[in-house]
């Protein structure tokens, strides 16, 4: 559009004085992109100069502005019996880029979020090690550090959707995920400090990790993974872990289910077998059609979801340019490609990755398209560097039946209606 | 050390019950690394199992745990006359990795931090364009988006140090910086939407950018940069910009001084000359020894600082392993190497970069070393992909004298004493 001013265009000087006259612009056709909105707000009553604002010295640690009050973690009340064992979902429908701020990053706790002071923190390494060790927080800070960005996804993410379209919003269907830059010490460094000579052949050895909260949340991890890329992390996105993310120290198990990323980490035992704890037998196993269960299904397979438009992020603007965006990730490596379908999987367009995929980290994708008001069955389909392609729900059910809770990485469908609103649906 | 238990080592079962007896471990020599602390805390009175914690559903947007209450932005009272024009420094001495959380990220405002609703937001592009345009916030969201991580450094960062060692702490000497992942629209996209045909030869053209706050903070930017990598950003680290970072829209000018990253961006004018505004004449120019001033010194040259140990982050542990860490950055591209000196620049060791340097983004470096209690004159020296080497303060003064405020990228020295405390000093 062309913006027209009453009379001649004001000089910059006049403009700065706040004397800008009301615009009388009109849309000059359905023209280029979307920059074509007549602007009733720019009137003689309202200049664009806002006057002075507050000094922000009173908020040495800032929170989001009041207008973003809906971009928060949310709970699904019926998912857990009590908030002592709760799940708080990331508002992925309202975020962009790849980093999740700690303040609104998904968190799940099994017996509350405990408050553990650095001074009181201890980490024990025991079991089949040459020297059993206890580390203080300060000890941990004296080992060589690494920095890496990884996604954490709960194995139960999208779990409610096995039975059909249940939860209406990307935050609830796919929000058990976050992506942060971790700083910490390689677990390999600490295990080598303790010495693994006593463990003998490492191929069939395990570690058992547990947290300092009442649940302990103990998990077994094969030694091969423990010596590969597991981290003892004390910072996320540059600052200390938040209480609900395991302050002061949590385990980071890249690409593997979030339950293994033990928070408030207090002990690592080197063992000659898996412990078969509650968290890896009655929970975090995948019951199949015939009643038997898969176990040791640690890796989070390639997955993606359109975050906008979506039920919590409807299309509010008119026809014309539309940005479709979402997230993709794989526990097996980097995302190499994401396709988007508008017709429930009949035809696909390859989306643009905002940046090249990084191993076991969220990848942002965009499809810059035009919407003329047609209904859409929006889907996204991720591919990773192993060649794996995200399956449909139908394909997944054929293999695993409908008894599962965990590891649902199927293609998600949003039905976008002519009015721009979207609904969680299932396509056959 | 070997951790010894009273009597025989408890079984895991006993341990989980919280019956762990007090440790009687003693340091078995100055041995391996630092995992050698007898542990008075693990007594019969205190088990490692913490019981249940709080559910965190009451904090849908979380803040740091109470124990991290000192990791906040801080002000230097005498730097500005009033908080309406204030500077709040990032606590870089306490951060690690590279991302700066928005909540504690450096911010400087010239006339307060204004509250501007998305619904009220307008961005005008005018001047030498084919069509003058006004964009709503929603309009901006309809253009193709980009994601990139960049540092923002205020031109005045380290400015107080021209005259000698002034401020005692990395937060105050070097904390006018942050590093965030931005999401937004390329300015080039919007300028092309408006059309630059009327501007003719773009080589000598400029844009003039200004904010919606009372200061307007107008700055001129050469068209070449405007069409290169400048972004119109609406998200930082995944979420909306905070109020103090320019909600809902700010300019991102990669590698260039922070004052040009106009917050609450309201207007971009395409011009045939620089405007020579207050912010680029009486301010943000560099007065030389002879009283003349350099202007258009936009790029932030390669720079680094040791963040720990430093005055606010003294060595609190004993002799032995010590991690020296810091940040490096360059407005001309990627950091390729950082050296660390312990003797005020006489000898240097090459530090380990946590990850390969990224263009115009913070790079974290580590020197994993041993400290035996000797005093140190700690320095770091950054090099970037252009071959530029961070200069000493002496070298900088030889060229620019001592009248400058801005663009002090000299090597910083911390005097680390035998007791682990550190002080800001100057070495000749």
């Amino acid at each position: 559009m062309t913006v027209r001013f009453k009379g001649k265009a004001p000089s910059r000087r006049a403009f700065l004085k706040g004397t800008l006259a009301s615009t009388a612009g009109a849309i000059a056709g359905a023209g280029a992109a979307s920059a074509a909105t007549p602007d009733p707000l720019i009137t003689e009553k309202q200049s664009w100069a806002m006057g002075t604002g507050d000094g922000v010295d009173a908020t040495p640690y800032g929170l989001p502005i009041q207008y973003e009050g809906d971009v928060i973690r949310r709970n699904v009340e019926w998912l857990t019996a009590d908030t002592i064992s709760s799940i708080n979902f990331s508002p992925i429908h309202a975020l962009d880029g790849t980093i999740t701020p700690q303040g609104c990053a998904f968190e799940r706790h099994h017996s509350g979020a405990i408050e553990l002071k650095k001074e009181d923190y201890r980490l024990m390494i025991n079991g089949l090690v040459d020297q059993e060790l206890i580390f203080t927080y300060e000890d941990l800070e004296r080992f060589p550090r690494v920095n890496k960005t990884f996604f954490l996804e709960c194995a139960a993410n999208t779990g409610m959707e096995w039975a059909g379209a249940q939860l209406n919003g990307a935050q609830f269907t796919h929000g058990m995920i976050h992506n942060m830059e971790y700083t910490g010490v390689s677990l390999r460094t600490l295990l080598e400090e303790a010495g693994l000579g006593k463990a003998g052949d490492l191929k069939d050895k395990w570690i058992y990790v547990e947290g300092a909260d009442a649940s302990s949340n103990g998990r077994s991890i094969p030694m091969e993974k423990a010596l590969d890329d597991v981290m003892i992390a004390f910072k996320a996105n540059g600052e200390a872990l938040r209480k609900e993310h395991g302050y002061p120290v949590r385990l980071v198990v890249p690409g593997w289910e979030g339950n293994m990323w033990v928070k408030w980490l207090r002990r690592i035992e080197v063992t000659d077998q898996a412990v078969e704890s509650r968290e890896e037998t009655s929970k975090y196993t995948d019951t199949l059609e015939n009643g038997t269960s898969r176990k040791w299904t640690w890796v989070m397979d390639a997955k993606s979801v359109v975050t906008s438009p979506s039920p919590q992020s409807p299309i509010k603007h008119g026809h014309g340019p539309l940005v479709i965006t979402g997230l993709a990730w794989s526990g097996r490596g980097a995302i190499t490609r994401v396709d988007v379908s508008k017709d429930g999987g009949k035809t696909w367009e390859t989306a643009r990755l905002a940046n090249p995929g990084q191993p076991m980290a969220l990848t942002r994708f965009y499809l810059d398209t035009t919407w003329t008001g047609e209904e859409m069955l929006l889907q996204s389909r991720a591919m990773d560097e192993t060649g794996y392609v995200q399956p449909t729900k139908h394909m997944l059910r054929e293999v695993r039946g409908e008894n599962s809770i965990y590891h649902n990485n199927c293609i998600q469908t949003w039905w976008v209606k002519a009015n721009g609103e979207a609904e969680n649906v299932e396509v056959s």
Side-chain angles (χ1 to χ4, degrees), chain A:
Chain A
M1 73 175 277
T2 306
V3 177
R4 296 174 204 286
F5 299 95
K6 272 184 190 165
K8 73 182 183 83
S11 69
R12 193 178 63 83
R13 186 177 175 81
F15 181 66
L16 286 172
K17 279 186 180 159
T19 57
L20 184 61
S22 69
T23 57
I27 298 176
S34 60
T37 314
D39 202 326
L41 275 166
I42 303 168
T43 65
E44 281 165 61
K45 283 188 195 151
Q46 178 172 1
S47 104
W48 270 350
M50 294 283 290
T52 55
D54 299 332
V56 293
D57 301 327
T59 56
Y61 201 103
L63 278 170
I65 195 168
Q66 54 173 317
Y67 310 127
E68 297 292 310
D70 58 334
V71 184
I72 53 174
R73 282 191 286 244
R74 287 181 196 277
N75 191 301
V76 175
E77 273 179 32
W78 49 264
L79 265 183
T80 57
D82 192 279
T83 58
I84 207 72
S85 170
S86 198
I87 301 168
N88 294 287
F89 299 74
S90 299
I92 55 171
H93 63 288
L95 304 179
D96 210 324
T98 64
I99 291 288
T100 319
Q102 277 207 73
C104 64
F106 159 69
E107 74 86 32
R108 193 257 193 275
H109 51 264
H110 293 253
S111 55
I114 60 172
E115 296 215 341
L116 181 51
K117 283 184 192 165
K118 281 182 184 171
E119 293 75 12
D120 296 344
Y121 179 77
R122 296 296 182 277
L123 172 63
M124 172 186 276
I125 297 189
N126 70 333
L128 302 173
V129 291
D130 301 336
Q131 289 200 302
E132 293 184 323
L133 296 173
I134 292 174
F135 303 87
T136 63
Y137 182 84
E138 202 171 62
D139 289 337
L140 294 180
E141 286 189 307
R142 299 176 72 179
F143 287 90
R145 293 174 211 163
V146 290
N147 299 162
K148 280 287 175 195
T149 300
F150 295 116
F151 77 81
L152 172 154
E153 184 184 17
C154 179
N157 201 20
T158 324
M160 297 301 105
E161 303 297 302
W162 277 108
Q166 302 274 317
L167 295 165
N168 211 27
Q171 180 169 18
F172 304 110
T173 57
H174 289 75
M176 292 191 201
I177 195 163
H178 56 62
N179 193 63
M180 305 207 256
E181 182 204 43
Y182 294 96
T183 296
V185 176
S186 167
L187 174 56
R188 184 184 191 102
T189 302
L190 297 190
L191 289 174
E192 286 174 350
E193 182 75 11
L196 290 169
K198 200 182 275 184
D201 185 358
L202 297 177
K203 254 189 239 139
D204 59 354
K205 297 300 181 300
W206 295 72
I207 61 167
Y208 182 72
V209 290
E210 63 183 13
D213 61 322
S215 83
S216 97
N217 196 57
R219 291 294 305 250
S220 307
I221 300 175
M223 183 61 80
E224 188 186 355
K225 178 72 174 176
L227 293 175
D228 180 12
D229 55 7
V230 175
M231 278 172 73
I232 308 288
F234 37 82
K235 304 266 186 186
N237 296 341
E239 68 181 346
L241 291 163
R242 301 292 175 88
K243 177 174 85 166
E244 61 271 25
H245 295 300
Y247 181 91
V249 176
R250 87 175 303 167
L251 205 66
V252 167
V253 191
W256 289 24
E257 59 190 20
N259 180 256
M260 307 176 85
W261 298 44
V262 171
K263 302 197 277 195
W264 315 290
L265 181 70
R266 71 166 174 186
R267 194 168 72 93
I268 300 167
E269 183 178 345
V270 176
T271 61
D272 57 5
Q273 54 188 311
V275 165
E276 309 268 3
S277 73
R278 172 185 183 278
E279 299 290 333
E280 52 203 22
T281 52
S282 83
K283 302 289 173 193
Y284 299 97
T285 49
D286 310 318
T287 304
L288 301 175
E289 198 63 29
N290 64 6
T292 64
S293 290
R294 302 195 313 168
K295 69 174 180 179
W296 308 150
T297 51
W298 303 301
V299 181
M300 304 307 296
D301 278 313
K303 188 167 170 180
S304 67
V305 65
V306 170
T307 52
S308 179
S310 66
Q312 295 164 287
S313 180
I315 305 172
K316 286 182 183 158
H317 56 70
H319 301 173
L322 168 69
V323 174
I324 297 171
T325 186
L327 292 166
W329 60 94
S330 168
R332 300 190 192 275
I335 290 293
T336 51
R337 183 173 135 189
V338 179
D339 293 336
V340 170
S341 175
K342 297 171 183 166
D343 54 14
K346 285 180 203 141
T347 62
W348 296 90
E349 296 172 72
T350 297
R352 174 172 62 85
L353 305 186
N355 288 294
Q358 296 300 315
M360 295 161 287
L362 291 190
T363 298
R364 170 67 56 182
F365 67 86
Y366 296 108
L367 185 73
D368 306 305
T369 190
T370 300
W371 182 60
T372 53
E374 71 280 13
E375 293 199 359
M376 295 185 283
L377 290 169
L378 266 189
Q379 299 185 334
S380 64
R381 177 176 72 184
M383 281 154 257
D384 70 19
E385 58 179 297
T386 70
Y388 181 96
V389 181
Q390 184 182 0
T392 62
K393 196 182 283 189
H394 179 71
M395 290 160 71
L396 219 52
R397 280 181 185 150
E398 279 200 341
V399 178
R400 286 202 250 147
E402 294 187 33
N403 294 329
S404 281
I405 296 170
Y406 307 107
H407 296 281
N408 181 349
N409 68 321
C410 75
I411 289 170
Q412 172 68 39
T413 311
W414 305 126
W415 169 33
V416 180
K417 303 172 201 178
N419 65 2
E421 286 173 9
E423 241 180 67
N424 183 6
V425 297
E426 190 161 343
V427 292
S428 54

